């Protein structure tokens, strides 16, 4: 559709339809296309794909109109329904302010042979008026008015910062999807009950997932059939559609290619082998939406944070099979103060105060899905225990026969990166999976329905949750394909099918994680490849540090934008954050210096405690032990102190919760065989860390080692390896120049 700029309006026009957007009060009006002749000097700015809605970033400032500037086709769902992803947006101030270069595709009708649209030249009367107004303002800026001007500038700066966050939200995360002919907000099963409903698509959507409902409210309230054309329901979440081929004779040579994206040729074969379409659709709820440390648990309406419904859709010939699962924060009142690394969770209301809101959440869930099987993956020990215990108590108090509670301590069962042990869970609930069934429809109608859903959660409902949901969905898909005769009864999914399927679920996890935590999912390499590797552990370290950094400043702005998109008043003092951002950065640097001083004190203290009098202390470092077998239950960094004397080195394991060393290991330098230093091996592009591996003998047997890396607190220093380089230089100097290195060994 064409976008025109006139003196008082922006005008969207397609065929005989036109939507006029006032540049004075932000009002929207449907008018016939012929009214363009009545507009003052309309200039075509280019082409756009559709309207997302309006947003006002500050109550004292103008509205902004958000348009879809560019889209990409994700694929086609059964029925030849196209699904598109919003890749770029255009934002227009509904004011007299001139628009910046929107970089729109030019329409051939109005821009034949022209590379850029014209700029509107104000009329002479307008120019005189603006000049007179500016002179009047300038000559009347007294001391009180200067204060008002300063406040106005602060509002405009804050608006620009929020606008920047809005653009990033739509264009960096690539998490908004729409279809003009298919209802992405509703599962196949819910759609099957509304086939005879004559209402337009936007009136049949699931309100929970209609993300631009508030922003498009001016149009939905018009109430005439003409408005239907302009309303595009948009979801936030994830959609991927692939065609898979069941071919057990294919070579797996392309397994060596990048795990991030499957080779496209793997989905194109001849007609000999059965093929099927698989789609993954995740819908994020607009209720209690927001960022990880800003939105946790349940609210007073029974809505929970990070609530996502994920539908796995299989289509073979004329048969469409759908299986849905949900994820959502533990529905009690809890939070984490996010201004420290890995903050401790806390309960914000008592058990008695929580009961009504817990009940409200599950009463709505049971109304929608009939039955619920809770899969709770939080740790049953340590800092997560308080949340898991509160959850179980509320389930017992709710005491509903349609609610089943399953606890699976993910980190305990999968310790040491053995994520394949998730099969222990799927085996245990196998009968429940089969009893739950799935939705199955064909041309004649509904063959069977899914009876209940799995509601999976961990603390963030991101990493562990995605691994488990993928495992459950895989069991269901294999059963579906066997029922349809696409897979032999005793055969697993072919290698290439399995690989693409794993990548789809890994992409799903990454997308949901970026929306809630700001970075890709941890443990994504297991979902992507079925194998947990050292490179994945290293990548997780970067993502953990990034999540911490993002939370400090950016989450406040992102949360404000999300709230404004949903029509929720912003309660956080954004001016304080905005005006003091530099002060916060300075404070952060000061905290880093304080942290270094603390480390120095720790090293001095434990040097005295651990080293005997006959050993001379040469140096010490605070490091991270990234040995895969020592990754702890909550996947936190394992902090160690490395101390070097003239005859041994000490690896002391430091527990930051109790603020002390809880165990240490002393190793003679005579048993040190070699030191390897360099970038970590990675499957994910450029290495993020420099590491050091100390190989040693234990009881005369080789093959033992410590793998250490520098403590990473600031993601801006990712990959620079400064601390490890310093450590390498110092350690090499100590081992070489002081003749401590065992003879015959090489560095």
């Amino acid at each position: 559709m064409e976008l025109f700029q006139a003196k008082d309006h922006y005008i969207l026009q397609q065929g005989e339809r036109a939507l006029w957007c006032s540049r004075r009060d932000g009002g929207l009006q449907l008018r016939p296309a012929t009214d363009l002749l009545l507009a003052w000097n309309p200039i075509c700015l280019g082409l756009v794909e559709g309207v997302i809605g309006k947003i006002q970033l500050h109550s004292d400032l103008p509205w902004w109109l958000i348009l879809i500037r560019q889209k990409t086709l994700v694929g086609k769902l059964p029925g030849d329904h196209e699904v598109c992803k919003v890749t770029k947006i255009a934002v227009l101030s509904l004011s007299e302010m001139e628009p910046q270069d929107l970089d729109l595709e030019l329409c051939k009708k109005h821009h034949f042979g022209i590379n850029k649209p014209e700029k509107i030249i104000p009329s002479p009367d307008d120019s005189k008026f603006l000049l007179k107004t500016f002179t009047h303002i300038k000559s009347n800026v007294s001391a009180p008015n200067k204060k008002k001007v300063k406040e106005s500038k602060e509002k405009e700066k804050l608006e620009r910062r929020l606008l920047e966050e809005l653009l990033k939200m739509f264009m960096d995360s690539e998490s908004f999807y729409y279809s003009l002919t298919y209802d992405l907000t509703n599962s196949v099963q819910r759609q099957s009950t509304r086939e005879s409903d004559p209402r337009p698509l936007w009136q049949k959507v699931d309100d929970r997932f209609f993300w631009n409902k508030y922003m498009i409210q001016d149009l939905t309230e018009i109430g005439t059939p003409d408005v239907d054309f302009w309303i595009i329901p948009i979801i936030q979440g994830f959609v991927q559609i692939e065609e898979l081929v069941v071919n057990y004779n294919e070579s797996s040579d392309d397994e060596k290619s990048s795990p991030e994206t499957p080779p496209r040729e793997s989905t194109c074969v001849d007609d000999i082998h059965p093929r099927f379409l698989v789609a993954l659709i995740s819908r994020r709820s607009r209720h209690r939406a927001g960022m990880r440390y800003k939105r946790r648990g349940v609210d007073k309406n029974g809505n929970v944070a990070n609530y996502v419904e994920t539908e796995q859709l299989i289509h073979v010939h004329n048969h469409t099979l759908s299986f849905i699962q949900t994820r959502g924060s533990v529905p009690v009142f809890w939070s984490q103060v996010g201004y420290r690394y890995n903050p401790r969770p806390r309960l914000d209301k008592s058990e008695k105060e929580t009961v009504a809101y817990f009940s409200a959440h599950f009463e709505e869930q049971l109304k929608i899905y009939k039955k619920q099987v809770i899969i709770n993956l939080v740790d049953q020990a340590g800092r997560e225990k308080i949340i898991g215990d509160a959850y179980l108590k509320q389930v017992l108090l709710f005491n509903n026969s349609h609610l089943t509670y399953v606890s699976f301590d993910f980190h305990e069962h999968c310790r040491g990166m053995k994520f394949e042990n998730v099969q222990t869970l799927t085996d245990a609930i196998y009968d429940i999976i089969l009893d739950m069934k799935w939705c199955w429809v064909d041309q004649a109608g509904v063959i069977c329905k899914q009876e209940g859903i799995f509601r999976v959660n961990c603390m963030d409902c991101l990493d562990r949750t995605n691994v488990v949901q993928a495992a459950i969905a895989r069991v269901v898909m294999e059963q579906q394909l066997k029922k349809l005769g696409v897979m032999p009864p005793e055969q697993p999914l072919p290698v290439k099918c399995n690989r693409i399927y794993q990548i789809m679920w890994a992409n799903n996890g990454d997308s949901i994680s970026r929306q809630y935590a700001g970075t890709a999912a941890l443990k994504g390499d297991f979902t992507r490849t079925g194998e947990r590797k050292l490179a994945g552990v290293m990548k997780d370290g970067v993502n953990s540090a990034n999540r911490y950094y993002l939370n400090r400043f950016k989450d406040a702005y992102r949360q404000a934008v999300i709230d404004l998109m949903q029509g929720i008043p912003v309660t956080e003092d954004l001016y304080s954050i905005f005006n003091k951002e530099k002060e916060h950065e300075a404070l952060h640097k000061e905290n880093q210096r304080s942290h270094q001083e603390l480390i120095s004190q720790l090293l001095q203290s434990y040097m005295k405690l651990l080293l005997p009098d006959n050993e001379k202390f040469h140096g010490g470092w605070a490091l991270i032990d990234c040995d895969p077998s020592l990754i702890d239950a909550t996947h936190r960094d394992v902090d160690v102190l490395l101390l070097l004397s003239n005859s041994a080195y000490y690896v002391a394991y430091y527990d930051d919760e109790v603020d002390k060393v809880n165990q240490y290991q002393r190793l003679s330098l005579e048993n040190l065989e070699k030191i390897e230093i360099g970038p970590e091996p990675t499957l994910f592009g450029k290495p993020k860390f420099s590491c050091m591996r100390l190989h040693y003998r234990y009881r005369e047997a080789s093959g033992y080692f410590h793998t250490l890396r520098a403590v990473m607190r600031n993601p801006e220093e990712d990959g620079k390896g400064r601390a490890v380089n310093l450590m390498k230089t110092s350690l090499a100097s100590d081992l070489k120049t002081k003749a401590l290195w065992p003879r015959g060994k090489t560095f």
Side-chain angles (χ1 to χ4, degrees):
M1 62 185 66
E2 297 161 320
L3 172 65
F4 293 89
Q5 178 189 356
K7 177 185 175 184
D8 297 326
H9 294 86
Y10 286 109
I11 303 167
L12 290 158
Q13 186 165 311
Q14 183 164 332
E16 299 302 315
R17 303 179 177 92
L19 176 65
W20 287 49
C21 312
S22 172
R23 298 178 65 185
R24 296 190 181 275
D25 60 13
L28 303 181
Q29 185 182 14
L30 300 180
R31 296 175 67 167
T34 52
D35 279 7
L36 186 65
L37 298 172
L38 305 177
W40 181 280
N41 190 26
I43 299 295
C44 181
L45 299 179
L47 300 175
V48 295
E49 300 292 341
V51 181
I52 294 174
K54 297 191 313 179
I55 190 170
Q56 190 176 29
L57 299 174
H58 194 285
S59 58
D60 296 335
L61 295 172
W63 288 84
W64 290 84
L65 180 66
I66 309 173
L67 305 172
I68 302 171
R69 174 158 66 99
Q70 192 177 94
K71 66 178 183 184
T72 57
L73 178 66
V74 175
K76 293 184 178 181
L77 291 172
D80 213 32
H81 298 288
E82 291 187 349
V83 178
C84 298
K85 176 167 62 178
V86 178
T87 53
K88 291 182 181 178
I89 62 170
V91 288
L92 293 167
S93 176
L94 295 179
S95 67
E96 295 181 358
M97 181 173 67
E98 285 295 304
Q100 295 179 342
D101 185 7
L102 300 175
D103 196 26
L104 300 180
E105 180 185 345
L106 302 183
C107 105
K108 295 178 181 178
K109 183 166 65 175
H110 298 102
H111 295 282
F112 182 75
I114 301 175
N115 293 324
K116 290 288 180 182
E118 304 172 45
K119 295 286 184 184
I120 290 183
I121 301 172
S123 68
D125 291 339
D126 288 341
S127 299
K128 289 177 183 177
F129 174 76
L130 291 173
L131 182 61
K132 183 179 178 182
T133 303
F134 178 74
T135 306
H136 177 75
I137 291 172
K138 188 175 179 181
S139 61
N140 286 279
V141 177
S142 59
N145 287 336
K146 284 181 179 178
K147 183 179 179 181
K148 290 183 179 179
V149 169
K150 183 180 178 182
E151 289 175 355
S152 177
K153 286 182 178 179
E154 286 180 348
K155 288 176 187 176
E156 290 172 1
K157 285 180 181 178
L158 179 58
E159 184 187 44
R160 283 198 297 271
R161 182 66 182 84
L162 293 173
L163 189 62
E164 178 188 328
E165 203 60 44
L166 175 71
L167 291 167
K168 287 180 180 177
M169 187 172 171
F170 274 93
M171 298 200 288
D172 290 356
S173 66
E174 294 191 347
S175 59
F176 291 93
Y177 299 82
Y178 70 94
S179 173
L180 298 177
T181 58
Y182 187 87
D183 184 359
L184 288 175
T185 70
N186 274 305
S187 65
V188 169
Q189 184 159 314
R190 291 197 295 272
Q191 289 186 52
S192 69
T193 64
R194 303 175 185 178
E195 287 182 348
S196 58
D197 191 336
R199 293 179 298 167
L201 187 148
W202 70 268
Q203 291 184 7
K204 295 186 286 186
V205 296
D206 190 318
D207 182 75
R208 297 174 297 167
F209 309 119
F210 187 178
W211 251 76
N212 58 328
K213 179 182 179 179
Y214 176 77
M215 292 186 286
I216 209 80
Q217 189 173 333
D218 282 10
L219 287 179
T220 60
E221 290 177 349
I222 289 176
T224 62
D226 293 342
V227 80
D228 298 340
F229 172 82
W230 300 100
I231 300 174
I232 303 175
I234 290 177
I235 66 165
Q236 187 188 34
F238 174 77
V239 181
Q240 187 169 345
I241 303 167
E242 298 286 347
E243 186 180 59
L244 305 186
V245 181
V246 182
N247 182 1
Y248 291 96
N249 300 318
E250 281 182 313
S251 166
S252 59
D253 290 344
D254 63 350
E255 291 298 301
K256 298 176 183 178
S257 62
S258 168
E260 298 289 344
T261 307
R264 295 301 303 177
E265 65 268 20
S266 67
T267 62
C268 304
V269 297
D270 53 64
D271 295 329
I272 298 173
H273 305 287
R275 64 182 67 200
F276 63 96
L277 179 141
V278 58
L280 212 52
I281 305 172
S282 282
R283 314 168 175 102
R284 174 182 294 281
S285 174
R286 66 185 184 88
H287 302 302
R288 197 155 174 73
M291 305 305 291
R292 179 167 67 153
Y293 289 120
K294 301 295 181 182
R295 292 291 181 268
R296 291 289 207 190
V298 72
D299 66 13
K300 292 186 178 180
N301 295 314
N303 300 309
V304 296
N306 199 24
Y307 183 90
V308 182
E309 180 188 82
T310 299
E311 179 177 23
Q312 180 175 278
L313 191 149
I314 306 293
H315 183 72
V316 183
H317 304 305
N318 295 319
H319 296 268
T320 301
L321 298 88
S322 158
F323 183 76
I324 58 175
Q325 303 178 73
T326 62
R327 67 178 77 190
S329 191
V330 174
V332 299
F333 290 95
W334 67 281
S335 61
Q336 282 177 287
V337 180
Y339 291 97
R340 60 167 292 225
Y341 195 66
N342 193 27
R344 182 183 292 277
R346 67 185 185 193
L347 293 174
D348 298 327
K349 287 188 183 294
S350 68
E351 181 181 296
K352 186 177 180 180
E353 291 175 302
T354 302
V355 168
Y357 308 106
F358 181 94
S359 298
H361 173 70
F362 274 108
E363 282 167 3
E364 185 198 26
Q365 294 297 296
L366 293 174
K367 182 180 177 182
I368 297 170
Y369 301 110
K370 310 307 178 189
K371 296 178 183 178
Q372 293 258 303
V373 179
I374 296 168
I375 308 289
N376 183 17
L377 306 174
V378 304
D379 297 342
Q380 296 173 25
R383 63 174 62 198
E384 295 184 3
K385 187 177 188 297
I386 186 175
I387 305 301
D389 289 350
Y391 198 179
L392 178 57
K393 287 177 184 176
Q394 291 295 327
V395 170
L396 295 173
L397 289 170
F398 188 59
N399 191 25
N400 190 301
S401 60
H402 295 297
L403 198 64
T404 303
Y405 180 88
V406 177
S407 180
F408 182 79
D409 191 329
F410 184 97
H411 285 130
E412 181 62 31
H413 285 87
C414 303
R415 186 179 293 276
M417 304 192 305
K418 302 294 184 183
F419 290 172
E420 62 272 17
N421 290 347
V422 168
Q423 188 173 344
T424 306
L425 172 63
T426 54
D427 288 346
I429 62 172
Y430 186 75
D431 290 340
I432 298 177
I433 296 173
L434 295 186
D435 290 343
M436 192 173 286
K437 302 177 185 176
W438 50 78
C439 177
W440 184 349
V441 298
D442 65 6
Q443 290 176 319
V446 179
I447 296 173
C448 74
K449 292 185 177 182
Q450 183 175 339
E451 298 176 359
I453 59 160
F454 288 102
R455 184 198 191 279
V456 187
N457 73 273
C458 49
M459 291 296 283
D460 298 332
C461 304
L462 296 177
D463 315 318
R464 290 171 276 180
T465 296
N466 202 66
V467 170
V468 168
Q469 284 195 335
I472 293 172
R474 181 195 171 107
V475 171
V476 172
M477 184 178 72
E478 289 184 346
Q479 289 297 318
Q480 291 171 333
L481 294 177
K482 288 171 183 177
K483 284 274 187 184
L484 292 167
V486 176
M487 273 177 62
E490 303 302 323
Q491 287 276 10
L493 203 62
V495 173
K496 285 191 176 181
C497 284
N498 183 53
R499 180 166 173 263
I500 297 170
Y501 178 75
Q502 287 174 325
I503 289 170
M504 290 177 71
W505 270 96
N507 291 342
N508 178 66
D510 284 348
S511 185
I512 293 171
S513 182
R514 277 192 293 270
Q515 293 157 27
Y516 188 50
T519 62
L522 309 181
K523 304 173 182 65
D525 59 324
F526 174 78
T527 314
R528 203 176 294 279
T529 65
E531 213 177 326
R532 190 76 173 123
K533 298 182 179 180
L534 178 61
V537 177
M538 314 299 272
K539 188 177 182 183
D540 283 0
V542 178
N543 286 340
S544 291
N546 280 343
R547 287 182 182 180
Y548 168 70
Y549 171 75
L550 287 168
N551 175 64
R552 287 193 65 87
F553 300 120
K554 297 186 179 180
D555 279 7
Y557 301 119
R558 179 64 60 90
Q559 185 64 56
V561 169
I562 292 170
D563 287 345
L564 291 167
M565 287 172 68
Q566 304 307 325
I568 300 169
V570 176
T571 56
E572 190 159 6
D573 185 2
L574 294 178
Y575 281 111
S576 174
I577 294 173
F578 181 74
N579 292 328
K580 295 182 179 179
E581 194 161 0
K582 290 185 179 179
E583 293 177 28
H584 281 295
E585 290 173 359
L587 180 61
H588 180 55
K589 290 178 181 177
E590 180 61 34
N591 288 340
Q592 285 185 309
R593 285 193 291 271
S594 298
H595 177 73
Q596 292 303 320
E597 290 173 8
L598 174 61
I599 293 298
S600 179
Q601 292 171 8
L602 281 171
L603 291 169
Q604 290 296 323
S605 299
Y606 283 101
M607 177 268 290
K608 295 174 183 176
L609 286 172
L610 300 180
L611 271 65
D613 294 336
N614 61 346
E615 290 186 22
K616 184 179 179 182
F617 179 64
H618 284 304
W621 302 267
L623 304 172
I624 301 298
D625 192 324
C626 47
D627 185 334
S629 66
L630 293 176
I631 297 300
D632 79 338
T634 56
H635 207 77
R636 298 190 310 247
D637 291 339
V638 181
D639 296 315
V640 298
L641 302 176
L642 177 64
L643 306 175
L644 179 66
S645 77
N646 59 332
S647 58
Y649 73 91
Y650 296 75
V651 179
Y653 292 86
Y654 179 75
D655 188 339
D656 62 349
E657 290 190 25
V658 295
D659 197 25
K660 68 178 183 180
V661 167
N662 53 22
Q663 59 177 311
Y664 75 94
Q665 189 176 5
R666 180 188 185 277
L667 293 151
S668 170
L669 291 179
E670 290 297 325
N671 291 324
L672 188 61
E673 295 184 315
K674 64 178 178 178
I675 302 176
E676 296 175 329
I677 296 177
E680 86 280 10
T682 178
L683 299 174
F684 305 97
K686 294 182 179 179
K688 301 293 184 183
F689 292 104
S690 292
C691 297
M692 175 175 70
R693 181 167 286 179
L694 307 175
H695 293 261
Y696 64 92
R697 292 191 308 276
Y698 178 69
R699 293 181 179 176
E700 301 305 319
S702 297
Y704 295 90
F705 57 85
H706 290 109
T707 305
L708 309 172
R709 66 168 172 83
V711 177
M712 262 298 309
R713 298 298 183 191
N714 183 355
E716 290 180 359
E717 295 179 2
D718 282 3
K720 294 180 182 178
R722 293 176 180 174
V724 169
N725 288 332
L726 179 64
M727 176 179 62
K728 173 184 72 174
T729 304
S730 179
L731 188 59
S733 174
D734 282 331
L735 290 176
K736 284 184 174 181
T737 62
K738 294 180 174 62
L740 300 175
W741 188 251
R743 184 169 295 182
K745 302 295 187 294
T746 57
F747 190 85

